[in-house]
């Protein structure tokens, strides 16, 4: 696996982890598990814990990278997710710097 594929996969896994565990758009997804199973359930904890969820998302992403790393759909998808993660991180840093 080339360093480019590794970095794209890493960025995509980071973005998907944040999407599942923290983003506003998936709040109903997380709330569904917490309402149905209770806040102390392991699955409820999984969908809110970035450290826990990243193990599963990272494992899936790197399995896909091993099998499909040079497929155009994989490259475009991981590049878009990585760009989203980087742009969001920079926007957060710039926004917090402007508030100071």
């Amino acid at each position: 696996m080339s360093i480019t594929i590794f970095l794209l996969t890493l960025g995509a896994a980071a973005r998907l982890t944040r999407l599942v565990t923290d983003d506003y758009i998936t709040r109903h997804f997380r709330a569904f598990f917490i309402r149905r199973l209770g806040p102390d359930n392991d699955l409820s904890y999984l969908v809110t814990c970035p450290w826990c969820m990243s193990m599963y998302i990272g494992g899936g992403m790197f399995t896909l990278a091993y099998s499909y790393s040079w497929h155009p759909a994989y490259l475009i998808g991981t590049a878009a997710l990585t760009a989203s993660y980087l742009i969001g991180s920079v926007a957060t840093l710039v926004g917090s710097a402007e508030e100071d």
Side-chain angles (χ1 to χ4, degrees), residues 26-38 44 47-48:
T26 55
R27 70 191 183 282
H28 296 298
F29 169 77
R30 290 187 302 276
F32 170 80
F33 286 103
I34 294 169
R35 272 195 319 271
R36 292 281 181 150
L37 304 173
S44 297
V47 298
T48 59

Side-chain angles (χ1 to χ4, degrees), residues 86-100:
L86 293 173
I87 292 166
S89 297
V90 169
T92 300
L93 288 172
V94 170
S96 64
E98 290 176 354
E99 292 174 5
D100 290 340

Side-chain angles (χ1 to χ4, degrees), residues 11-22 53 57 61 81 85:
R15 179 63 188 110
L16 288 174
T17 299
R18 181 163 176 89
L19 177 68
V20 171
T21 62
D22 293 325
M53 184 58 75
I57 291 176
M61 289 299 300
L81 287 167
Y85 184 74

